[in-house]
Amino acid sequence: LNGVPGFPLPTVHSQKAYDPQDSFTAKWTRADAMQIKAHSDTSVAAGQNSLPQQLVMPDVPADFPATNPDVWVWDTWTLIDKKANQFSYNGWEVIFCLTADKNAGYGFDDRHTHARIGYFYRRAGVPASRRPANGGWIYGGHLIPEGAQEQVFAGTDYTITAEWSGSMRLLDPTSNKVSLFYTDMAFNRNAAGQDITPSQAVITQSLGQIHADFNHVWFTGFTTHTPLLRPDGVLYQNGAQNPYYNFRDPFTFEDPQHPGVNYMVFEGNTAGQRGTADCTAEDLGYRTNDPHAETVQQVLSTGAYYQKANIGLAVAEDSSLSKWKFLPPLISANCVNDQTERPQMYIKDGKYYIFTISHRTTYAAGVDGPDGVYGFVGNGIRSDFQPMNYGSGLMLGNPTDLNEAAGTDYDANPNQNPRAFQSYSHYVMPDGLVESFIDTVEGRRGGALSPTVKVRLRGDASVVDTRYGNNGLGGYGDISANRAAINVVGF
Ligand code: FRU
């Protein structure tokens, strides 16, 4: 990797694989993340995109269609097997989305405490050009019977609960049994919305059945909710250590190198008391005698240690996927970023990619990057992961001017690119197709499915495929199956 004049070199990462049970945790270092700024153009006019074009999602038009008139839609996932193939069921494509009622009197930014997993379906095998502009998804309603998920919090104090992201496994393509893995949330808040006690985040399993006839898709089950993992404060930070801890978004898979073993990746934080100033020279990752290196003391003096994301790993201890054990994190981002969300393991051509989403506003002091998808590649599920693209980690960012302050999705900086928050919560599907939701485009709030885009992967580099769709933008919510499950019993 060649350096950029005036910037430090990225950390050397071998991509070497370790045993999944090993305690080795790869680091996304400050030296790595610094490469984003190094490749950002300081001379663009204010509010343009300063990032390398081939790593930027094309502009989403401001006249995007709503996915549904009655519910906001954000984090979305598909019906997958242990290899992340996505299935249609008896001729219907199905997606699972965090949803919130548009007509309930609270705003889009209040959606998180009202989140319910909803499902949508549409006929499989129709090209995007022959579907309605919004993708033609039919809303099926909530997946989980009202209140059923509250059993996980029995005997604890809470004022409101929510269902946050996860994944859906089709347990066997010849049956209709499905397993939901999601984040069961309980908040204990006063009337002003402040925490009385820290929120509870519990990675939870619930089993159900999918059904379809000629007219629609529906689900049964999801009445029993089994708590799988609560952060232990040893490998993964908990609420007692940091009321702002992140612990959520389970994604399960099988590793072809360990047939029959099921793993889960999830979003976590490095364990320990919030505010402990203990980032190390390894977290910074500078090469010996790099003239542009920061010292540990310099970094700690900025408060960068408040940001300590990690990507967690757990292993299933039974074949029904109802008992899991924590393993040490796969990647940490100490003094780099506080959130590595919705991680997924993507195995292609013998390489193991971890994709995760992150925000500009969760970066630590002194490092910067856009909202979007970050990628890391190695030779096994636990590796000395190489951050993609110049060693930076950036794979697919929103159009952003890193020379201007971020602003927020709900309160824009007028000098910032009006699409810096156009999309979020990307999920990489088979063939490098990427779905996400629209947040804010030119001040218009979304809560709708984004146009699908396509990323081409070549080892530790990637580009947005501008030959896909219309200059790189596919259909809105074009989330297609690459496998078909046919279950005659369910008919
Ligand atoms: C990403 C995310 C997820 C979480 C959900 C809550 O958009 O932060 O990590 O499950 O949103 O709304």
Side-chain angles (χ1 to χ4, degrees):
L1 288 163
N2 297 320
V4 174
F7 285 88
L9 287 166
T11 308
V12 177
H13 296 276
S14 68
Q15 299 192 37
K16 181 186 152 195
Y18 291 78
D19 191 283
Q21 308 270 340
D22 199 278
S23 61
F24 177 83
T25 297
K27 289 182 184 297
W28 182 27
T29 67
R30 286 179 69 90
D32 297 333
M34 221 50 107
Q35 306 310 311
I36 301 170
K37 248 199 278 194
H39 289 271
S40 171
D41 186 346
T42 52
S43 68
V44 296
Q48 299 298 304
N49 167 55
S50 70
L51 299 166
Q53 204 59 51
Q54 78 278 10
L55 305 183
V56 170
M57 182 163 164
D59 283 4
V60 173
D63 63 353
F64 59 82
T67 300
N68 183 271
D70 297 316
V71 289
W72 283 301
V73 168
W74 67 109
D75 296 22
T76 294
W77 59 96
T78 54
L79 180 62
I80 59 172
D81 67 3
K82 62 189 179 186
K83 294 175 171 171
N85 283 306
Q86 40 200 52
F87 281 80
S88 63
Y89 184 78
N90 284 356
W92 296 94
E93 289 171 345
V94 193
I95 53 172
F96 307 90
C97 310
L98 296 190
T99 60
D101 193 346
K102 280 185 185 172
N103 310 309
Y106 49 79
F108 187 56
D109 295 304
D110 300 316
R111 67 189 182 278
H112 302 287
T113 48
H114 299 281
R116 291 284 174 251
I117 299 170
Y119 70 95
F120 292 79
Y121 54 91
R122 66 178 194 179
R123 289 189 193 279
V126 179
S129 58
R130 291 185 27 222
R131 298 199 188 261
N134 69 356
W137 290 101
I138 301 162
Y139 182 48
H142 291 170
L143 189 71
I144 297 173
E146 203 53 43
Q149 101 289 1
E150 301 207 344
Q151 63 195 250
V152 167
F153 304 111
T156 71
D157 291 329
Y158 60 88
T159 51
I160 189 165
T161 63
E163 301 158 14
W164 282 10
S165 289
S167 50
M168 185 69 100
R169 274 275 284 267
L170 180 63
L171 293 174
D172 165 4
T174 65
S175 92
N176 70 342
K177 295 195 181 107
V178 294
S179 175
L180 172 69
F181 299 92
Y182 76 105
T183 316
D184 205 357
M185 294 294 303
F187 304 89
N188 190 25
R189 292 192 168 163
N190 64 21
Q194 291 149 337
D195 282 344
I196 302 163
T197 51
S199 63
Q200 302 178 59
V202 183
I203 290 179
T204 299
Q205 181 190 33
S206 188
L207 299 174
Q209 301 82 32
I210 182 170
H211 308 269
D213 63 15
F214 289 109
N215 301 313
H216 74 309
V217 172
W218 72 102
F219 288 87
T220 52
F222 304 113
T223 51
T224 302
H225 291 253
T226 307
L228 303 179
L229 295 166
R230 293 182 170 89
D232 59 357
V234 178
L235 292 170
Y236 299 100
Q237 190 178 52
N238 61 26
Q241 296 172 329
N242 178 2
Y244 311 108
Y245 75 111
N246 301 288
F247 182 77
R248 52 184 180 264
D249 304 347
F251 172 91
T252 71
F253 63 98
E254 195 177 291
D255 177 7
Q257 292 183 28
H258 299 88
V261 186
N262 281 280
Y263 295 97
M264 176 195 290
V265 286
F266 56 88
E267 170 181 4
N269 283 116
T270 301
Q273 213 58 45
R274 171 178 154 87
T276 307
D278 59 359
C279 296
T280 63
E282 289 71 41
D283 294 323
L284 276 50
Y286 296 111
R287 302 187 193 188
T288 318
N289 299 326
D290 190 323
H292 302 290
E294 306 163 292
T295 65
V296 171
Q297 210 39 58
Q298 277 169 343
V299 171
L300 296 181
S301 70
T302 67
Y305 49 82
Y306 282 100
Q307 281 74 36
K308 289 181 184 168
N310 71 25
I311 292 175
L313 183 70
V315 60
E317 296 191 289
D318 66 357
S319 59
S320 54
L321 311 182
S322 66
K323 281 187 70 184
W324 294 78
K325 186 181 85 180
F326 281 132
L327 295 173
L330 294 179
I331 299 180
S332 67
N334 299 328
C335 280
V336 175
N337 199 305
D338 202 45
Q339 293 191 346
T340 44
E341 312 205 90
R342 293 197 68 193
Q344 54 179 130
M345 188 70 71
Y346 194 94
I347 304 170
K348 183 179 178 282
D349 304 333
K351 285 290 186 185
Y352 290 69
Y353 293 87
I354 291 182
F355 298 132
T356 183
I357 51 169
S358 195
H359 294 287
R360 188 170 183 201
T361 54
T362 54
Y363 269 97
V367 272
D368 202 358
D371 279 45
V373 189
Y374 290 80
F376 304 85
V377 59
N379 294 326
I381 65 172
R382 184 181 298 282
S383 297
D384 183 7
F385 284 102
Q386 168 69 50
M388 294 188 56
N389 297 311
Y390 325 110
S392 71
L394 179 61
M395 184 165 96
L396 180 71
N398 282 334
T400 306
D401 182 356
L402 287 193
N403 311 305
E404 295 288 336
T408 66
D409 44 0
Y410 54 88
D411 185 14
N413 168 8
N415 293 328
Q416 183 49 258
N417 190 306
R419 288 181 170 75
F421 298 101
Q422 69 172 5
S423 64
Y424 194 59
S425 213
H426 307 73
Y427 174 77
V428 185
M429 307 187 284
D431 277 331
L433 297 168
V434 187
E435 59 93 3
S436 59
F437 79 90
I438 300 173
D439 183 336
T440 306
V441 179
E442 292 182 5
R444 182 176 167 217
R445 302 309 298 272
L449 294 170
S450 299
T452 295
V453 299
K454 186 172 178 175
V455 163
R456 290 151 67 90
L457 303 170
R458 289 190 223 112
D460 64 3
S462 69
V463 294
V464 174
D465 187 345
T466 51
R467 289 170 307 183
Y468 173 74
N470 185 1
N471 288 321
L473 289 182
Y476 289 92
D478 195 25
I479 304 170
S480 296
N482 69 325
R483 293 279 189 283
I486 305 290
N487 174 20
V488 283
V489 179
F491 255 117

